[in-house]
Amino acid sequence: MNNFRYFPNSKKDIAKLYRVLGVKDKKELFGKILGGIPLMDAALLTTVPKESDEEALYRFFLNIDSNIPAKNKTAVFAGGGIYNHFVPSAIDSLISRSEFYTPYTPYQPEVSQGTLFALFEFQSFIAEILGMDVVNASMYDGAESLAEAVLMAMRLSPANRDLPVSRKDDIIIISEGVNPSYTSVIKTFAGGTGVKIGKVKLNTQTGQTDIMDLKQKLANGGGRAPAVVVQQPNYFGIIEDLEELERLIHSNSNSGYNPSFIVSSTEPYSFGVINPPGFYNADIFAGEGNSFGNYMNFGGPLLGLFAAKKEYVRQMPGRIVGKTKDGKDRDAYAFILSTREQHIRRGAATSNICTNSSLNAVRAAIYLSLCSKSGFKEIASLNLKLAHILRDRLLSSGLFEPLYEGDFFNEFSLKLKINGNKHNNMAASEFIEKMAERDIIAGIAVSESAVLISATENNRLSDIEKYAENAKEVLNA
Amino acid sequence: MIKGGSFYFSKSHEWVGRDSNNKYHIGISDFAQSELGDIVYVSLPEAGKTYKKDDKIGEIESVKSVSEIYAPVELKVISVNSKLNDTPELINQDPKEAGFIAEVEISNDSDAEGLMDENAYKTFIADSRHE
Amino acid sequence: MPKFPGIKGIFLDEDPLIEQGSKRLRGIGIPDCGLKKSDLKKDESAYIDAKYIRKSPPELPEVSEPTVVRHFTRLSSWNMCVDTVFYPLGSCTMKYNPKINEKIASLENIKNLHPLTPAGLIQPVLKIVYDFNEILCGLTGLAEFGFAPQAGAAGEFAGLKIIKKYFDLKGENRKTILVPDSSHGTNPASSVLAGFTPVEIKTGKAGTLDAEELKKFVSKDAAGIMITNPNTFGVFEKDIKKIAEIMHNNGSFVYMDGANFNAFLGSVKVSDMGIDLIQLNLHKTFSTPHGGGGPGNGAIGVVESLREFLPVPYVKVGGKSTGVEKDSGEKADGGNKSNNRKDNSYSRQVYELSEDKKNSIGRMTPFLCNFAVVLRAYAYLLSLGRENIGSVSEIAVLNANYVKKKLGKILSGSDPFEEGLCMHECVFSDKAIEENGVSTIELAKLLIDYGFHPPTVYFPKNIHGAIMIEPTETESVRTLDNFIKAVKEIKFKTKKSKAVKSPQKTKVGRVNEVLANKQPVFKY
């Protein structure tokens, strides 16, 4: 039998290795190491298929690829946390360089300047877009990033942490405008501390976080709120009035608790058109960056963005790249403030995060460079306009009605009416499945009868027309 | 400021120094700073606060390590050496003078005297090196 | 043929992109999407309230496509990587990343698939995750894997959270997790995140945990133990079965940090050691590229009694069928007829994303998982097949022991575990090199100039000046010999004056990390 193609040691080499070690064969080798633990024979495993040559393997996956919705004929209008943006070829070409995708985390800075410099540029670009002081070198995804933001806010409040604080009376206040999956992830991560989660309703008219309700929630918590979390634009696509929210949150200081104003986003492309979280004095930003140069990849890997005010940097999770010099006074880059991290501070680290989303972050850096200043704004503006055109077109058919009236960026929610009858709603999931049969991913169900729909620069006017016409047929059935 | 005074050392390498005016300061030992290497950040205790012996009162960071600073005796912090916020390297350069951590008040003078004196501390370091 | 790969070369310098811009340059083609000129020109305030509108756009570089491509290509040339050098980072399993996996992950429809596409249209994709789970179960002897954890540390967190929830539901208040002091820093950090207090247990000379020593720490407070096996010294935990027995008798769980699973792949079932939970780092053992720090996947596997605690959503088979699902099932089936593989199961089985796990620890990620990573790992296992999978750990262990033995002679007195065999990696202290005046960090930097990536250094912490070498199965004896020769030369021929200046052939020399930390610069 020939050697398998990924193993550079020939049978002869392997025999040499055994000889040098004075061991006869695998059985003896593992027998000496394992003691009483049995050696398994993987060749007998029925769950593992037989060896595959490269061409057969490729055909197998090609076949899978051709049995799912085809990129070239499917119009995607689904968002809800991940968006169908255009990815320029230069990114794939650059990222396919082994020098980017096959190294480990850059712990040896002298031989990792490429990744470090690219991550430094990533941090710089994201800081510009968000209007925030310090951006880290990435988290797993928007939801986990947001959960870490909540944990960080808990470290910051109450300010006096001399006594062990019981978190049982603390409440993290989260707007119902935050993506429900994100809220679930916060529960998974922060649950261990005993902290409670308090939800703030949305204004039924505008779809924005209800200021009166937030006021009440802040008062009811007895002031023990380490954080208030909102999403911009929110889950239903609505642009929040961060100015008003900030005023309320930052004026709410109580028994050592100064709630951190945490802004999330699943679509930071919006900050090409609307004011970024830094403009509104957000303490922490934590959200998704997949829109920048990354494919949807059936939901992962994604790109968690994390940013904070400079004064909080020592409580930040994750790696941060800093600029410095080498011995000859040349610019050099390295991870900094590593003492926050698990490999040094172990149980007292700000986070357990280690491997994260470096390559996705480098993709984002390349993407944002390609976009450039004017392109970024122009694409953002295009998203805004296409979404508004689509919404107007759908509303004019009389088969939809708005769920909320507030301003939106590239995503909005509509209720469905069969035959235009207000009292005869079609289930959102049924509508989506029927549209899917017509090669249109029409959105995602956000309630029994409402659909969340997004439009990006990857949708054409003709796709919008196709959506409207097919929706008419489906809803008039 | 601490010149001419006497120094007492804890097993966790902090010193308590009493100067000629009977004022007390605390800091970390020369041995401790040399083990840590280049110090890049210090988190200082809180002025006005009282700490029991062995309470954690602060942290010292080098590039790749973190060490805790413990109260060598029961003490009250009068003021901290805020110069360390911007120039933590003072601890490396001059751990017993310019690199002190805080000026403190001690309830019993005998607490400080109960620690190791310079000679005992030297022996203690030499012994721990052989371990 | 050069004596060592590291000779000399040319380094091309690059300015930050922001300094290379020129007004209104860009590197992206933006479509008009069929919009009328008048619409394209319309001000944003025609759509949304002017108070929300950003007045000054973010200052991104204004550069063309060629500039961007040259910039990042040059940057890439400043990295060492698995494809250019021997990269023996201990505990990181820097094995070869097969190129076909990248091609598969780049398939047009897969990479552009929205995760909330109706399940009926994506049966083959759901099946990948389902089948991959079956393979991992076969290889480990565990009952089920959850794929939500995005990396090793997230897998640890998931596992510990499962243990936490198990005891919460049982009404037992167990507060601690036992962690050997030689463990990865993520272990105690993940324990804290999951709501436990980690209790460190001192380990012996080779980092192994002694069953008798463990007994001293076992009480009703212990929810479980986190044990890395082989441990961070590359040594197999001989007492593992006894350890598991002690923990199980105490009603506690045994969590294995699977970062070093490459030592076992296809040769040892962790269930035979009494392991209850393990995370598998797909970006280590299963060949998916590390990406310069991610993305990864830390699939969490559990025994039967913990299946209902796994994160959601997950891929479930045999749920209700809807019209769309049936249609596409036939379509997928039809598509398969032209293929030799017998994968015509879509019409009989229906895969769906389900949240139906009654004790689930909940959600860890917005969608299912880092699918593109799972996809690569799955392709890797299909390539290897059952015939070859056992060779992975066999050759990895052989290579590591070869390095251990050969270097052990050069670095005499430095192997803390001289007598026995290691598994996938070996560790040395700095004893022998210090004798020649070379420190561990200097050895690491000198190796760079020889054309090798340094091993993991100064970890595990209980070895003085630790040097931890993991060659993996994808390196040849020839490469190992070359590396060993370099270490030998460093040990016997290097002058201190050269050592402190190394590396000298890299883009930048020794980086001033003190300055970087004292006066941090976070952005342009």
Side-chain angles (χ1 to χ4, degrees):
Chain A
M1 197 176 78
N2 287 321
N3 245 53
F4 184 73
R5 62 184 180 276
Y6 302 158
F7 304 143
N9 278 334
S10 67
K11 296 282 170 202
K12 209 176 126 197
D13 294 329
I14 290 172
K16 179 189 164 185
L17 290 169
Y18 275 116
R19 209 166 47 243
V20 170
L21 299 179
V23 175
K24 197 170 85 220
D25 56 11
K26 181 175 177 183
K27 205 172 154 205
E28 191 189 332
L29 178 70
F30 277 78
K32 279 186 163 180
I33 293 169
L34 300 173
I37 310 291
L39 190 63
M40 77 189 269
D41 187 354
L44 301 176
L45 280 178
T46 50
T47 50
V48 186
K50 285 191 172 168
E51 168 180 353
S52 182
D53 66 86
E54 191 174 319
E55 179 61 14
L57 189 77
Y58 186 61
R59 282 180 195 223
F60 172 72
F61 284 101
L62 201 54
N63 181 53
I64 289 173
D65 196 60
S66 58
N67 280 291
I68 59 174
K71 153 98 174 156
N72 67 359
K73 59 172 198 177
T74 309
V76 180
F77 291 94
I82 193 164
Y83 301 87
N84 174 32
H85 287 290
F86 167 64
V87 179
S89 313
I91 300 176
D92 291 337
S93 165
L94 287 165
I95 284 296
S96 71
R97 294 188 65 88
S98 299
E99 294 88 340
F100 278 134
Y101 81 87
T102 76
Y104 198 70
T105 304
Y107 285 130
Q108 296 285 344
E110 299 88 349
V111 292
S112 316
Q113 286 297 302
T115 294
L116 288 164
F117 193 8
L119 290 174
F120 183 78
E121 295 197 305
F122 164 79
Q123 291 174 185
S124 303
F125 300 159
I126 299 296
E128 265 299 316
I129 289 168
L130 299 175
M132 303 284 296
D133 298 335
V134 187
V135 174
N136 78 9
S138 82
M139 306 295 281
Y140 302 136
D141 55 50
E144 179 264 352
S145 188
L146 185 56
E148 296 258 21
V150 166
L151 293 171
M152 174 171 154
M154 288 169 67
R155 291 193 291 275
L156 292 170
S157 207
N160 186 343
R161 292 185 305 141
D162 291 332
L163 300 167
V165 180
S166 163
R167 292 295 183 179
K168 280 207 298 276
D169 297 322
D170 284 11
I171 301 180
I172 302 293
I173 298 177
I174 304 180
S175 163
E176 283 186 354
V178 172
N179 185 317
S181 291
Y182 281 39
T183 306
S184 301
V185 175
I186 291 173
K187 280 183 193 156
T188 306
F189 276 82
T193 63
V195 71
K196 288 195 201 71
I197 299 222
K199 293 212 181 149
V200 184
K201 287 198 203 97
L202 297 182
N203 181 306
T204 50
Q205 194 81 42
T206 62
Q208 292 175 315
T209 301
D210 192 293
I211 293 283
M212 289 315 287
D213 195 40
L214 174 59
K215 227 177 233 176
Q216 211 165 19
K217 290 281 149 54
L218 280 167
N220 286 352
R224 297 194 57 138
V228 178
V229 185
V230 299
Q231 181 180 316
Q232 179 75 318
N234 73 22
Y235 180 57
F236 300 94
I238 303 299
I239 298 171
E240 296 277 7
D241 191 340
L242 296 186
E243 192 176 348
E244 209 177 345
L245 289 165
E246 192 266 344
R247 207 178 305 135
L248 177 58
I249 293 161
H250 278 155
S251 63
N252 195 280
S253 173
N254 208 329
S255 49
Y257 281 70
N258 301 310
S260 289
F261 178 32
I262 302 180
V263 178
S264 186
S265 181
T266 57
E267 182 52 302
Y269 232 124
S270 56
F271 306 129
V273 168
I274 63 173
N275 284 317
F279 184 83
Y280 298 109
N281 197 23
D283 297 299
I284 307 173
F285 172 86
E288 181 55 57
N290 199 69
S291 287
F292 301 151
N294 285 278
Y295 293 102
M296 292 187 282
N297 278 322
F298 190 54
L302 299 168
L303 170 58
L305 304 180
F306 197 104
K309 286 181 178 166
K310 210 170 175 178
E311 58 261 43
Y312 304 139
V313 67
R314 286 189 173 269
Q315 290 302 333
M316 271 174 77
R319 298 171 180 140
I320 300 170
V321 177
K323 184 180 176 179
T324 181
K325 297 281 182 189
D326 74 352
K328 291 185 178 157
D329 209 37
R330 293 175 291 204
D331 284 348
Y333 300 84
F335 283 140
I336 57 169
L337 309 182
S338 303
T339 47
R340 299 165 297 114
E341 294 181 67
Q342 48 75 27
H343 63 277
I344 292 171
R345 211 179 277 254
R346 297 178 72 84
T350 55
S351 167
N352 70 337
I353 197 164
C354 188
T355 294
N356 46 75
S357 300
S358 267
L359 198 65
N360 307 69
V362 175
R363 290 189 73 101
I366 299 170
Y367 177 77
L368 293 169
S369 309
L370 290 166
C371 277
S372 300
K373 185 177 169 183
S374 60
F376 184 70
K377 185 179 186 294
E378 210 171 299
I379 294 172
S381 174
L382 199 50
N383 275 253
L384 173 88
K385 289 168 185 175
L386 284 161
H388 282 80
I389 291 169
L390 173 61
R391 185 172 180 267
D392 288 348
R393 178 74 180 83
L394 295 179
L395 287 178
S396 72
S397 71
L399 296 166
F400 296 85
E401 61 178 333
L403 186 61
Y404 296 116
E405 296 288 358
D407 282 342
F408 62 97
F409 171 61
N410 69 352
E411 199 168 24
F412 55 89
S413 317
L414 299 179
K415 282 196 276 190
L416 311 161
K417 301 185 286 183
I418 295 177
N419 297 327
N421 182 342
K422 211 172 187 162
H423 303 290
N424 194 2
N425 292 338
M426 178 181 273
S429 57
E430 189 189 340
F431 171 74
I432 291 165
E433 285 184 0
K434 287 192 165 159
M435 291 288 279
E437 286 176 64
R438 297 154 179 262
D439 296 327
I440 299 161
I441 309 300
I444 61 175
V446 283
S447 75
E448 204 46 40
S449 63
V451 184
L452 177 64
I453 305 166
S454 87
T456 68
E457 75 283 2
N458 261 352
N459 301 122
R460 300 290 185 264
L461 215 48
S462 52
D463 295 326
I464 288 174
E465 212 39 53
K466 187 169 139 188
Y467 190 120
E469 272 161 22
N470 281 282
K472 202 161 139 193
E473 287 175 31
V474 168
L475 288 169
N476 278 331
Chain B
M1 69 209 81
I2 308 156
K3 280 213 173 78
S6 23
F7 286 89
Y8 304 95
F9 296 85
S10 69
K11 285 184 178 169
S12 46
H13 308 286
E14 292 87 11
W15 56 256
V16 182
R18 182 176 54 206
D19 64 18
S20 41
N21 299 326
N22 241 7
K23 275 188 180 167
Y24 283 97
H25 290 79
I26 57 169
I28 69 160
S29 72
D30 189 45
F31 172 74
Q33 72 76 18
S34 69
E35 285 290 290
L36 284 167
D38 290 315
I39 291 165
V40 295
Y41 180 76
V42 185
S43 106
L44 295 164
E46 218 177 295
K49 257 199 78 173
T50 305
Y51 294 93
K52 284 208 266 309
K53 181 172 159 57
D54 295 333
D55 275 359
K56 190 189 139 186
I57 60 170
E59 276 180 349
I60 297 193
E61 295 184 9
S62 65
V63 173
K64 284 187 175 126
S65 75
V66 186
S67 300
E68 304 197 322
I69 314 171
Y70 299 98
V73 292
E74 185 171 326
L75 55 84
K76 186 181 176 191
V77 178
I78 295 174
S79 65
V80 296
N81 183 3
S82 51
K83 276 189 187 157
L84 295 178
N85 287 330
D86 293 327
T87 45
E89 62 270 26
L90 286 175
I91 295 180
N92 291 118
Q93 292 159 3
D94 190 5
K96 276 163 127 185
E97 288 280 339
F100 76 98
I101 304 283
E103 186 185 338
V104 299
E105 220 170 70
I106 290 181
S107 24
N108 301 308
D109 289 356
S110 59
D111 283 357
E113 287 155 12
L115 299 171
M116 290 175 273
D117 63 16
E118 300 243 15
N119 280 332
Y121 181 63
K122 263 182 202 156
T123 319
F124 169 74
I125 293 168
D127 286 352
S128 56
R129 266 185 178 161
H130 289 296
E131 258 171 22
Chain C
M1 140 103 194
K3 203 170 159 202
F4 295 108
I7 44 167
K8 56 185 175 182
I10 182 165
F11 269 106
L12 302 160
D13 207 359
E14 260 297 285
D15 288 328
L17 267 182
I18 198 80
E19 292 169 16
Q20 300 185 39
S22 186
K23 211 163 169 49
R24 293 201 66 83
L25 279 180
R26 59 171 64 164
I28 193 169
I30 303 173
D32 65 11
C33 295
L35 257 60
K36 287 189 290 244
K37 264 225 171 82
S38 56
D39 279 336
L40 288 171
K41 276 192 182 151
K42 221 188 254 178
D43 194 77
E44 285 84 24
S45 60
Y47 302 89
I48 55 175
D49 191 332
K51 72 175 175 180
Y52 297 128
I53 293 174
R54 184 170 189 153
K55 303 289 182 299
S56 51
E59 287 297 330
L60 297 173
E62 299 189 84
V63 285
S64 66
E65 182 174 327
T67 304
V68 172
V69 169
R70 181 165 293 162
H71 177 75
F72 285 99
T73 304
R74 284 189 177 177
L75 260 56
S76 78
S77 72
W78 305 342
N79 282 351
M80 274 188 167
C81 71
V82 169
D83 285 356
T84 52
V85 296
F86 179 44
Y87 210 119
L89 264 187
S91 262
C92 301
T93 315
M94 298 302 284
K95 62 170 73 178
Y96 172 67
N97 309 134
K99 302 308 156 197
I100 179 66
N101 299 351
E102 297 308 306
K103 189 167 161 184
I104 288 164
S106 306
L107 285 166
E108 201 61 26
N109 301 333
I110 289 178
K111 74 180 177 192
N112 282 297
L113 188 59
H114 191 286
L116 301 175
T117 305
L121 297 180
I122 53 170
Q123 289 292 298
V125 162
L126 297 177
K127 187 176 187 303
I128 288 174
V129 180
Y130 187 85
D131 288 351
F132 186 56
N133 171 58
E134 301 249 292
I135 296 179
L136 294 187
C137 290
L139 289 168
T140 56
L142 296 176
E144 188 174 340
F145 278 79
F147 296 100
Q150 304 92 330
E156 291 171 18
F157 168 70
L160 292 162
K161 191 86 189 164
I162 287 170
I163 296 173
K164 178 92 179 136
K165 182 128 192 203
Y166 175 89
F167 286 118
D168 283 352
L169 288 181
K170 235 179 138 196
E172 282 183 48
N173 185 16
R174 297 198 182 217
K175 295 189 207 72
T176 63
I177 292 285
L178 307 179
V179 185
D181 58 0
S182 58
S183 66
H184 299 121
T186 50
N187 290 187
S190 301
S191 303
V192 170
L193 189 58
F196 288 112
T197 306
V199 174
E200 292 211 340
I201 308 179
K202 277 234 179 303
T203 50
K205 204 178 149 204
T208 43
L209 194 61
D210 182 67
E212 291 307 310
E213 177 70 17
L214 171 67
K215 279 184 189 162
K216 294 183 206 160
F217 290 85
V218 173
S219 73
K220 281 290 166 199
D221 239 11
I225 188 169
M226 276 190 102
I227 188 162
T228 309
N229 198 14
N231 67 22
T232 53
F233 293 58
V235 174
F236 180 73
E237 292 282 356
K238 273 224 158 60
D239 277 358
I240 185 71
K241 255 194 134 160
K242 246 188 274 169
I243 289 166
E245 216 177 274
I246 293 166
M247 296 311 290
H248 290 156
N249 286 340
N250 189 51
S252 326
F253 288 100
V254 181
Y255 182 99
M256 181 175 139
D257 180 341
N260 294 342
F261 187 72
N262 207 45
F264 292 148
L265 184 61
S267 296
V268 186
K269 270 188 188 162
V270 296
S271 62
D272 288 337
M273 299 185 278
I275 304 298
D276 302 305
L277 309 95
I278 189 176
Q279 104 281 354
L280 295 177
N281 299 28
L282 302 188
H283 49 290
K284 294 183 175 175
T285 313
F286 296 85
S287 88
T288 76
H290 201 283
N297 183 282
I300 175 74
V302 296
V303 289
E304 188 64 39
S305 62
L306 297 177
R307 287 178 72 170
E308 285 300 310
F309 290 82
L310 284 169
V312 288
Y314 72 107
V315 177
K316 185 178 169 179
V317 77
K320 63 179 191 316
S321 169
T322 71
V324 180
E325 279 167 340
K326 198 162 148 255
D327 285 354
S328 77
E330 280 162 9
K331 191 168 129 196
D333 189 16
N336 265 301
K337 274 175 192 153
S338 59
N339 193 284
N340 288 334
R341 283 181 173 269
K342 284 189 190 144
D343 256 315
N344 54 2
S345 46
Y346 307 133
S347 57
R348 281 178 284 112
Q349 297 188 315
V350 177
Y351 301 87
E352 60 175 316
L353 282 180
S354 169
E355 303 226 359
D356 160 33
K357 283 212 178 273
K358 68 173 189 290
N359 300 324
S360 173
I361 56 163
R363 205 176 247 285
M364 296 183 70
T365 180
F367 305 106
L368 177 63
C369 64
N370 278 0
F371 177 75
V373 178
V374 169
L375 176 67
R376 287 174 172 91
Y378 180 58
Y380 172 66
L381 291 179
L382 293 188
S383 292
L384 283 169
R386 56 174 95 122
E387 305 91 325
N388 300 301
I389 197 154
S391 303
V392 171
S393 46
E394 180 190 3
I395 305 172
V397 171
L398 281 171
N399 275 351
N401 276 294
Y402 181 76
V403 173
K404 177 178 153 74
K405 185 150 190 176
K406 292 270 173 173
L407 274 189
K409 283 183 190 147
I410 297 164
L411 307 175
S412 63
S414 304
D415 185 346
F417 188 63
E418 213 170 336
E419 301 305 310
L421 293 164
C422 64
M423 290 205 82
H424 66 303
E425 63 192 359
C426 54
V427 188
F428 296 95
S429 74
D430 58 4
K431 189 166 179 289
I433 51 168
E434 279 283 356
E435 282 164 13
N436 293 64
V438 177
S439 69
T440 294
I441 191 72
E442 284 159 4
L443 171 82
K445 304 299 182 190
L446 283 160
L447 277 169
I448 291 172
D449 282 339
Y450 278 88
F452 300 102
H453 192 281
T456 294
V457 288
Y458 300 105
F459 184 86
K461 299 221 182 297
N462 28 15
I463 299 278
H464 200 269
I467 302 154
M468 189 192 198
I469 304 165
E470 179 179 5
T472 84
E473 74 283 4
T474 61
E475 294 297 339
S476 65
V477 180
R478 192 166 179 264
T479 303
L480 302 182
D481 282 337
N482 198 230
F483 173 77
I484 291 160
K485 202 164 80 184
V487 174
K488 191 174 175 182
E489 224 181 86
I490 290 170
K491 153 107 172 105
F492 293 109
K493 290 192 190 155
T494 302
K495 290 207 179 72
K496 185 78 185 173
S497 56
K498 188 180 163 196
V500 294
K501 273 191 288 184
S502 60
Q504 300 189 48
K505 296 177 187 168
T506 42
K507 164 70 172 49
V508 298
R510 207 80 72 84
V511 171
N512 188 342
E513 296 189 68
V514 174
L515 175 72
N517 281 282
K518 248 196 252 178
Q519 294 158 26
V521 180
F522 305 108
K523 56 187 184 189
Y524 279 155

